[in-house]
Amino acid sequence: MTHTENSQVQSPRSILDARPEHSADSPVSVHAMTVAYNRKPVLWDVDYDAPSNALVAIVGPNGAGKSTLIKACLGLIPRASGTVEFWGKPYKQSRSLIGYVPQRESVDWDFPVSALDVVCMGRYRKIGWCRPVTKSHKRAALEALARVGMEDFATRQISQLSGGQQQRVFLARALTQEADLYFMDEPFAGVDASTERAIIEVLRELRANGKTVIVVHHDLQSVPEYFDHVLLLNMRVVAAGPVSEVFTAENLQKTYGGRLTLLAEAAEAVARAAKGT
Amino acid sequence: MIPQSIQTFLSLDLFPLLAALFAAISCGLLGNFLVLRKQSLMGDAISHAVLPGLVAAFLITQSRSPGMMFIGAAISALITVVLVEVIKRLGKVEPGAAMGVVFSVLFALGVFLLENAAARSVDLDADCVLHGNLQTLFWISPPDQWSNLFSAESYSDVPRQVWTLAGTTLGVTLFVSLFFKELKIASFDAGIATVQGINAGFMHMLLMTFVAIAAVASFEAVGSILVIAMFICPAATARMLTDRLKSQIFVSIIVAALTAIVGYAIASWVEVNAAGMIASASGVFLVIAIVSSPRHGVIAKTLNQRQLGNKVALEDVLGALYRISESDSQANLEQLIASTGADSRSRKALSKAQSLGLVNVHNGILSLSKVGESRAASIIRRHRLWEGYLVEQAGLSPDHVHETAEQLEHFVDVPDQSLSKTHTDPHGKPIPPR
């Protein structure tokens, strides 16, 4: 487990004190963001500074607003209030540096495209409007497929891939974008063991290259093993910071309050984390 | 001198045929994206909803000038698109319902306006909206000399609809080829499209604008029925035949063109309404594709399933014989039937096994050959490993696992390799070595 320099524990109190000062070094700073669906808030006054060069898990119960947080940062859904900055600049000026892996279920996998076609989509911004996908872009896409161990499946139609393979194609598409900050929405959901290993290897490779990856994660058990930082979310930020400091039984109880089965799971995860450090 | 028969064709059939071709191709091209976005009904909605726009344009300007008509139709097409979006978002209904509501209400409004207009004794024809007026697209004075084919003068009386449709087809083709990549990503994954700087909402409105243009330009000549058919059938047919968007688009153009030509030819042969016949032909093509497509078709799927069924039956026969031989008894046909069931499929499987040399029959006694035995052993091995896995890993009780293992043994290996060292299944039966 690696730790980055600017690892400070954020509790709601300290965030309030810190406002509105956010670090321009942070790949993404969320300030006082509220998001509502049909006027019902799903995210309340979220403040968060992501550390640079780290693997960050967003953890929280169903309906905590984890995906919503990512989508609102990327401008895919409107914010009711608040600001989001990337390296101190608005989204529009830093778009090319930000990659996104949506949930696998968000698309129609019967769509008539090959795995390579999907990966090429990660380069559309580089290619530009109305220009065709050239050979060099296809080569880059193939390299990305190779990084996730999928080069042999490049010409397969995407419905003929297994769930894990589809997830790897999505990951390859994000890789080929050559971004500095990645948002990934449940990349480990419903994948096989070998895909999980392949994904975590890629995540570590990204970190080794100085990138930041923010991952919506549902498996509490693997948080201490996979991630440096964690953001505990349940409509508001419960706690955020290095896993070793923030991923505590107390904080998890605040996050999952009352959900007994999850609490048991959380307790076990904390015990394992304690053993690891 | 151009022969009389060709002159007749030029004068009576060329322009209707061209109009049908252009309409089919421009609607068919755009239909690809409607079908992929599961928004095929949008073509339907727009082509019905232009009616009130036409009548309103007429009532307001008191003229039947094509320009005014076109503008009226285009405005109501765009209103349709916007209304559908609004109702989808605010009305909390599924997209299909939103389209259905909008076009039926607008069409009804159109009929109401039309009857009001008719009451004031003006001639607007409701039938025309449904099946167009292809038969009126004459070439009044087609060239009578070959050399005149190349003089601009001969084309001075080409019907306006043909020019409009030719322009629309050109525009739609340019749109789809220029924005192919953008249409693809926006249809496949709106979120990623937006992150890549291609605003999916903008692409949607752009596509809908072209759908509206194609619908309005086509329906005057070919009627709304053909427009709806062309937005759906060629693309759906092509979807059955290919697995790549680019080839799907090319195939859909070919299908659209073929439909128009074949439909028109049949219509002039049996003398029925050409637009109706072309629409019917497009339906027939779609049915043919659904039935006989090499990969997704009904026939291919049935054949695959039968093959699979035969394989399962064969493996079940081998497994049954293996189990009987395990109990040290000799198998005859009755015993086999008692354990596999007496359907014709296992009888066929048995004779197949015989012809493959997997099973020997001697004086009514069935026995596995050497090859047959090793194949049977590997099936039984999988079955018993699965039983062990289901008991140990999935927590099922031993008397619940046979049926599931019976299914799984034909398709997949046990995922957990650590089990491969066990020697007996949950019922204490030996697991054959690999």
Side-chain angles (χ1 to χ4, degrees):
Chain A
M1 214 182 296
T2 62
H3 292 283
T4 48
E5 288 90 336
N6 60 341
S7 57
Q8 89 268 24
V9 184
Q10 294 178 353
S11 73
R13 192 65 243 167
S14 71
I15 287 167
L16 281 174
D17 294 337
R19 192 187 289 173
E21 304 303 326
H22 287 272
S23 164
D25 303 333
S26 172
V28 52
S29 331
V30 180
H31 177 68
M33 184 170 79
T34 297
V35 180
Y37 285 127
N38 297 324
R39 295 201 167 176
K40 188 176 149 236
V42 260
L43 281 177
W44 266 108
D45 193 30
V46 171
D47 263 84
Y48 180 63
D49 278 304
S52 65
N53 191 14
L55 301 183
V56 181
I58 302 179
V59 171
N62 286 334
K66 304 182 295 272
S67 301
T68 307
L69 175 61
I70 288 186
K71 286 182 188 155
C73 284
L74 293 169
L76 295 176
I77 48 176
R79 300 187 282 269
S81 65
T83 55
V84 180
E85 289 185 341
F86 299 87
W87 298 279
K89 288 185 196 132
Y91 178 59
K92 276 201 174 144
Q93 290 173 33
S94 32
R95 275 211 284 218
S96 60
L97 301 173
I98 304 163
Y100 173 45
V101 178
Q103 280 185 23
R104 186 155 48 88
E105 297 80 41
S106 64
V107 303
D108 169 17
W109 288 95
D110 276 332
F111 205 84
V113 284
S114 68
L116 185 65
D117 288 335
V118 173
V119 178
C120 284
M121 289 178 189
R123 297 189 72 83
Y124 280 11
R125 173 186 294 281
K126 287 194 175 66
I127 296 168
W129 280 81
C130 303
R131 302 238 185 96
V133 182
T134 58
K135 277 219 176 94
S136 68
H137 290 294
K138 280 190 183 151
R139 219 175 299 126
L142 266 175
E143 277 164 24
L145 271 175
R147 276 173 77 182
V148 297
M150 287 286 294
E151 65 272 38
D152 295 339
F153 298 89
T155 57
R156 285 268 186 104
Q157 202 245 320
I158 51 173
S159 67
Q160 293 162 15
L161 302 173
S162 73
Q165 290 168 335
Q166 292 173 343
Q167 190 67 59
R168 288 197 227 181
V169 168
F170 262 16
L171 186 62
R173 179 175 65 181
L175 289 178
T176 198
Q177 210 183 317
E178 293 165 1
D180 286 338
L181 168 67
Y182 289 95
F183 288 100
M184 302 188 183
D185 202 343
E186 303 242 7
F188 296 106
V191 302
D192 52 290
S194 69
T195 298
E196 180 152 345
R197 276 195 301 278
I199 295 176
I200 195 64
E201 227 163 84
V202 168
L203 293 191
R204 286 176 178 152
E205 205 181 299
L206 288 171
R207 180 178 57 194
N209 292 327
K211 322 270 182 183
T212 299
V213 189
I214 299 178
V215 179
V216 171
H217 197 59
H218 63 286
D219 178 26
L220 292 175
Q221 305 277 348
S222 52
V223 168
E225 189 191 340
Y226 291 169
F227 296 98
D228 316 319
H229 273 244
V230 65
L231 168 63
L232 293 167
L233 191 73
N234 193 351
M235 287 181 69
R236 20 194 295 284
V237 176
V238 177
V243 171
S244 56
E245 294 167 36
V246 168
F247 200 64
T248 62
E250 193 193 344
N251 280 338
L252 283 169
Q253 185 157 12
K254 271 193 223 156
T255 315
Y256 286 90
R259 292 168 209 236
L260 288 174
T261 49
L262 275 162
L263 270 184
E265 203 188 323
E268 204 181 311
V270 169
R272 278 171 39 148
K275 236 185 279 170
T277 46
Chain B
M1 189 68 197
I2 295 179
Q4 192 57 44
S5 60
I6 291 183
Q7 274 197 46
T8 317
F9 171 79
L10 288 179
S11 146
L12 291 181
D13 291 323
L14 179 65
F15 289 143
L17 184 57
L18 276 180
L21 258 177
F22 287 143
I25 289 173
S26 50
C27 294
L29 254 176
L30 295 168
N32 282 296
F33 297 99
L34 294 178
V35 166
L36 286 175
R37 288 160 165 257
K38 309 200 186 334
Q39 286 177 330
S40 316
L41 213 53
M42 206 63 184
D44 195 344
I46 288 174
S47 50
H48 275 94
V50 293
L51 183 62
L54 287 176
V55 186
F58 173 77
L59 289 178
I60 292 166
T61 64
Q62 292 295 327
S63 83
R64 289 190 66 179
S65 98
M68 284 301 142
M69 289 285 173
F70 195 91
I71 292 171
I75 289 175
S76 66
L78 285 178
I79 290 176
T80 310
V81 175
V82 174
L83 270 183
V84 168
E85 284 300 309
V86 168
I87 291 182
K88 213 159 58 183
R89 275 183 206 167
L90 300 181
K92 293 184 181 172
V93 291
E94 40 136 352
M99 294 178 217
V101 166
V102 171
F103 89 72
S104 50
V105 169
L106 285 183
F107 191 67
L109 177 72
V111 171
F112 170 75
L113 285 176
L114 192 61
E115 289 195 343
N116 255 338
R120 281 186 247 159
S121 72
V122 285
D123 63 324
L124 270 171
D125 188 1
D127 281 357
C128 207
V129 176
L130 284 183
H131 38 72
N133 56 0
L134 274 181
Q135 67 284 353
T136 66
L137 303 179
F138 310 117
W139 198 347
I140 297 159
S141 51
D144 49 3
Q145 301 289 329
W146 288 111
S147 55
N148 288 356
L149 266 180
F150 302 100
S151 79
E153 221 171 285
S154 314
Y155 295 94
S156 59
D157 62 341
V158 172
R160 175 186 48 79
Q161 291 96 323
V162 176
W163 286 124
T164 315
L165 277 167
T168 307
T169 308
L170 186 68
V172 166
T173 311
L174 276 177
F175 168 64
V176 171
S177 34
L178 265 178
F179 291 93
F180 175 73
K181 175 171 113 274
E182 288 76 13
L183 284 166
K184 177 155 93 172
I185 192 172
S187 308
F188 175 63
D189 191 339
I192 281 296
T194 307
V195 169
Q196 289 288 326
I198 296 158
N199 188 315
F202 171 73
M203 284 314 296
H204 175 70
M205 287 321 264
L206 203 57
L207 175 65
M208 286 307 145
T209 307
F210 272 88
V211 166
I213 292 172
V216 172
S218 307
F219 102 107
E220 190 187 355
V222 301
S224 57
I225 293 176
L226 183 55
V227 170
I228 297 162
M230 283 304 146
F231 272 129
I232 303 174
C233 291
T237 308
R239 181 68 195 92
M240 294 302 296
L241 300 176
T242 85
D243 271 333
R244 289 292 181 283
L245 186 55
K246 218 171 237 174
S247 30
Q248 180 186 319
I249 284 174
F250 282 117
V251 172
S252 73
I253 295 174
I254 294 168
V255 171
L258 216 62
T259 317
I261 294 167
V262 170
Y264 191 85
I266 297 176
S268 23
W269 180 42
V270 296
E271 293 181 359
V272 292
N273 178 282
M277 185 48 83
I278 296 170
S280 312
S282 75
V284 171
F285 276 129
L286 177 57
V287 170
I288 293 174
I290 289 175
V291 171
S292 59
S293 147
R295 197 178 298 164
H296 306 291
V298 176
I299 293 177
K301 278 189 180 154
T302 315
L303 281 180
N304 266 342
Q305 249 160 26
R306 178 165 299 174
Q307 252 173 11
L308 201 62
N310 289 342
K311 173 185 171 245
V312 168
L314 180 71
E315 292 186 351
D316 282 346
V317 164
L318 295 178
L321 288 174
Y322 187 92
R323 288 195 179 92
I324 295 172
S325 76
E326 264 184 331
S327 63
D328 280 331
S329 53
Q330 287 183 323
N332 56 30
L333 193 57
E334 274 107 68
Q335 276 175 306
L336 180 67
I337 285 168
S339 67
T340 60
D343 57 356
S344 62
R345 186 168 260 180
S346 37
R347 275 171 205 278
K348 257 205 271 177
L350 179 61
S351 51
K352 180 92 188 286
Q354 258 178 281
S355 69
L356 287 173
L358 301 169
V359 172
N360 299 320
V361 183
H362 200 70
N363 293 336
I365 303 295
L366 308 170
S367 62
L368 289 164
S369 71
K370 202 140 192 111
V371 189
E373 190 172 311
S374 80
R375 199 164 153 197
S378 78
I379 296 157
I380 295 289
R381 177 181 162 78
R382 270 211 241 179
H383 180 93
R384 292 183 178 160
L385 281 175
W386 264 116
E387 288 192 333
Y389 179 83
L390 290 171
V391 169
E392 278 168 36
Q393 308 286 328
L396 296 176
S397 79
D399 57 339
H400 280 70
V401 292
H402 176 79
E403 293 297 322
T404 313
E406 191 67 25
Q407 307 268 317
L408 291 168
E409 67 182 18
H410 303 293
F411 306 108
V412 263
D413 276 323
V414 176
D416 190 350
Q417 288 306 312
S418 68
L419 271 168
S420 62
K421 290 179 199 84
T422 46
H423 300 293
T424 53
D425 74 359
H427 311 102
K429 292 210 177 116
I431 292 174
R434 196 189 294 269

